[in-house]
Structures are given as C-alpha cells and as structure tokens.
Amino acid sequence: MELRGLGASAGSAVGRALVVEREARPVFRLLLEPGQVEAELQRLQRAVEASRRQLQAIRERLAFEAGVPHAYVFDAHLLMLEDPLLLGRALALVREERVNAEWALHAVSEQLHARFELVTDDYLRERSHDLDDVLGRIQLNLGGADDAPSLQRLPGPCVLVAEGLSPSEAAELDWQHVLGVALAGGSPSDHVSILARSRGIPMVVGLGEPLRQVPPGARVALDAQHGRLLVEPSPAALEALDDQREREHREDCRLREIRSLPAVTRDGVAVALRANLEFPEDVDQAVAQGALGVGLFRSEYLLRSRRSWPNEDEQHAVYADLCARLGGESLTVRLWDLAPGELGQAGAGWHNPALGERALRLARRDRRPFKVQLRALLRAALRGPVRVLVPFVTGLPDVELVQELLEECQAELEAQGVPCARGLPLGATLEVPAAALQAEALARRVSFMTVGTNDLVQYLLAVDRSDPRVAHLYEPLHPAVLRVVAGVLEAGRRAGVPVAVCGEMAADPLSALALVGLGARELSMTPSALPRVKAALRAVEARQLEEELRGCLALDAAAEIEDVLRRACRQAVPAPAP
Ligand code: PEP
Ligand code: MG
C-alpha cells in the first residue's frame, strides 16, 4: 500500500509503525511478540485488581460518609469489573490479537458503547458514563506503571503514525525513539512540522483517512522527498529508498563542509544567517550548523510539559545560559506567543484560535506573565546581547504597550537593587498584514523588525497553515506576499532599521534567494536548513537576484514566479524530486 501526502521534514525512515489512537489521552496499539502475551494478560489483571481495591475503598468511605444508598453506584462499578463482556473480552483480545491491554480496553469500550447506543431507555443509556468511568480507571492503573508507553516514553524506535499531534504533544514527544512521523492531518507550515524539521526527523503530513488502515507493527517506509508512506514495502522499493538515502547522505557530507564558510553571495553581499530555536538545549547544535546567533527563540516552548508559567529565576537561568553559549552573538527572544489551547493553555475549542486572544493579546487580560519574562530578559542581558521581539503585532499600540512594560520592569528592578541591563532593543514581528502595511510607522518605534512569513502567508492568502486540505494554496512566492515583504524591507531601509525574515520561507533555498533578491540581509531559520541555504547563497549573485525579483514583482502567479526563479537559480538550487 502506498499513501500520498506532503513531505514536511526531509529524509526517509524505515521501521515499525506505532499507531496512536486518540482518546482523552492517546492510546497506543502495539503488536506484541508471542512471548509477551502472558505478561500483558497479567498486567491487565493487575490493573483490574487495583481498580477493584480502589472502588471498594471509595464505596466504603462513601457508605460511611454519605450513607449506604449513595454507595450503590460503586456496587454497579464493581459488578462491571466482573462482567465477562468487559474483562473477559479484553483478555481475549490480548490473547488472540496480541495487542496491548490499553488497546484491548479501548476496543471493548467501542463495542460496548455501540450497544449502549441501541438502548432506548434513557436511564440505562446514561450508564455508559459509568462504563467510561470504570474503563478510565483501569486505563489509569495501566498507565500508572513505570513501563507504560506514552508519547514521552515510547516503547522503542518506531515510525509514529497518528491522526495529528498537538504542539504540546510534539514538544514533549520522545523524539529519540522516533524514526519518522506520518500524520493523517497536519501541514508543512504548522508548528509540529517546524519541530520535526528542527529535530531533523523525517515527516509526511496530510496522508488522510487511508492512514487509519495501517496495521500496528506493520513495516513502513516513510519518504518525505516524495511525500509518501509505503506499508509493507517491496524489496525493490526499499532498495530504491536506500539509494535515495545514500544520495542524501552524500549531500549532507558536502553541506557539512560549508558550515564554517561565510554566507556571502558571489558578488560579495553578506547575509546574516541565524537560528530559530524552540528548545534551549538545541543551541549548541545551531551554532555548529553555522548560525550567527538566534534570530527567533520561540520562548513559549519553555511551557512544554508544565502547566504554569516558569518563574523569573527559571527563565533567567535559561536566557543567561543561552547568552553564554552564543559567545557574544545576539539572542532574540520572542515574548510568549501562545494561542488558546496551545501548549497546555486552557481555551481549546475556539473556532479560530489563529485570530483569537493570542500572544500579546493575552497581556490585556493579565500583564504579569509578560512582566516576569521581561524582568528575566533584562537581567539576562547582562550576559550578552539580548533583543526582545514582540509577537503578533497588529499596530503601534502593541509595541507601545511592551515598551511601557519594559520601562516599568527596568524601574522596578533598579528600585529593588537587582542588576539589569538598560534599554533592551525592542523589535516587532511583522506577521499580520495590518502591521506589515504599517511598517514605516513601526520602524520609527522599534530597533529592528522581523517578518514572520509563516503567519503572514496564512493571513494574507487566507489559508489556514494547519489545514492539509488547503496546503497547496499556501504559497510563500505568491505575488501578494512578495509585494508586502518588499514593502517592509523598503520601509526598514528608509528608516535605517534592520529587517530580518524568520518564517520558514527563509529555510527554503529558492524562497530564501527570492528574499535576498527583495533586499533581505538577515534570515533566521531552523538550524538544519542553514547549510543548504548558505550553499545556495554562495552560488548566486545578489545583483542578478535583485534584477530577477524586480521582474517577479510584476508577475501574477506564484507558479510563474517559481518558474522564473528556478531557471535563474538552477545552478544554486537543485530541481525538486519528480
Ligand atoms: C511566523 O509566523 O513566521 C513565525 C516565525 O512564527 P511562528 O511560526 O512561531 O508562528
Ligand atoms: Mg507567527
């Protein structure tokens, strides 16, 4: 079987499929080795036993505190534990289909729910909630074991097969054991794809409904270059993939030599290449890839695996350590850029979180998290050049608000006698069209600007960056995008304010060259993309790019622009795979 999707993170991987099914928490479907079945049966029985003890204890306590009639409901729960339809079936599934206990319970739950659906008596139908309660307790007891699989602790090397991953799941994922990721949903420009690229893990998204047919434990081959997933691939297909990997490996070796060379075009125009960072621990790797400092630290990832904001000291430690590791190069920290429901934040379920109460808009409700962050940054800036980047700017008031908070924090720290830097450079992210169109006015208020093309493309073209169904309409080379970016770069030039580009557009060699042709001299990207972009830059002349781009700005469609650029840059950027 061959499934088609979109390559979201380069490379290929061959391994066993680990299928993730979504419930309140993810449930894995694992295929057990015959020798593991007995232990799994015992694990399920132990979890049921633990559930029985807990339910009896609850029943007794309730009978004592509230009277025997109130405890009857737990009698029903205890009876469910004895019911052969439940435990008996789950045990049979483990034994006969060699699946893990969690999955067996999940399957039994689906079957029983289907039965409850047919019941016409409202009271009895309501009892399906009791069933969920009992099954949830057994699942919890299974999960409580140290060796229970979870996204943070995968059972071994695998190709992860899932409907989708939330940014928080991706942030906490046990990447070490992930050979590749295959998603039914997702899109190359969403955060999960960005994380896979930053981890260097191959990923294919938008594989759609057919992905559900992938049997757990099946041998699969993920090929991001061609955007496909092969299930139980033939020896010939595996051989072809091996050849492709060999070519990719040779290309990687060639690029490795480029890391220490300067990022200059053939006619001597220097372009500062910086890193986008999600995880502080990746900074050394970014420097090793040739990054000249961090152009975007997505600070909200500090919230991964925790439900509360990190305090000032915790943040100070992170930022100060980053400064030390960057050896004098600048660290650009973006203030919390969170959408409702992201990274453990409450409020999921809004129809359109991309347009909702996100990022700086949260400061209008509560300034404290932003102030704590600014205080930590002011302190850390004593260790190295720190720049503060304001996300999701829609106009001048946003920048003014952060300027005000920054001054307030500085005054407070000084009053408390806490050593801190003064007057940190403040920058605006231009990712909302309204802000990009006000670049001239913003440039008078900030020290630097950064074009966030990931969101800018989404908002300009009205294309949801997380929706695979419209991923083909997500066109960074769309003439409207290029014209807006050109306007921002021009506004920066006139005001003498540096403008960087930090969206994924800068990580794609052809688009990066287009940006340089528009006048960009600072690009920030996922570190793994740095050598490839640098190699492309070193093979072109900026003057020629500028001329080409002047012509491109007059064209009507992204496809035409791409054609012109591909022809002009064919020496620098290899043609995509057929
Ligand atoms: C952007 O929008 O281009 C950007 C860099 O931010 P993020 O991808 O985190 O939204
Ligand atoms: Mg953004």
Side-chain angles (χ1 to χ4, degrees), residues 334 337 431 455 465:
R334 175 171 78 183
D337 186 6
E431 53 189 341
D455 280 317
R465 63 190 267 201

Side-chain angles (χ1 to χ4, degrees), residues 189-191 194 276 278 296 298 300-301 334 337 358 429-431 450-459 465 474 501-505 524:
S189 44
D190 66 19
H191 266 199
I194 290 173
N276 290 353
E278 289 79 36
L296 169 66
R298 290 182 163 101
E300 59 278 5
Y301 278 90
R334 175 171 78 183
D337 186 6
R358 55 171 300 164
T429 315
L430 304 190
E431 53 189 341
T450 297
V451 187
T453 53
N454 300 340
D455 280 317
L456 187 62
V457 172
Q458 154 167 273
Y459 297 130
R465 63 190 267 201
Y474 188 94
V501 179
C502 68
E504 289 298 296
M505 191 175 169
S524 193

Side-chain angles (χ1 to χ4, degrees), residues 115-133:
R115 288 201 173 192
F116 272 110
E117 286 293 308
L118 301 175
V119 174
T120 47
D121 183 302
D122 283 348
Y123 175 79
L124 281 179
R125 213 176 36 241
E126 285 282 298
R127 302 284 62 77
S128 69
H129 298 312
D130 293 326
L131 175 69
D132 286 338
D133 205 354

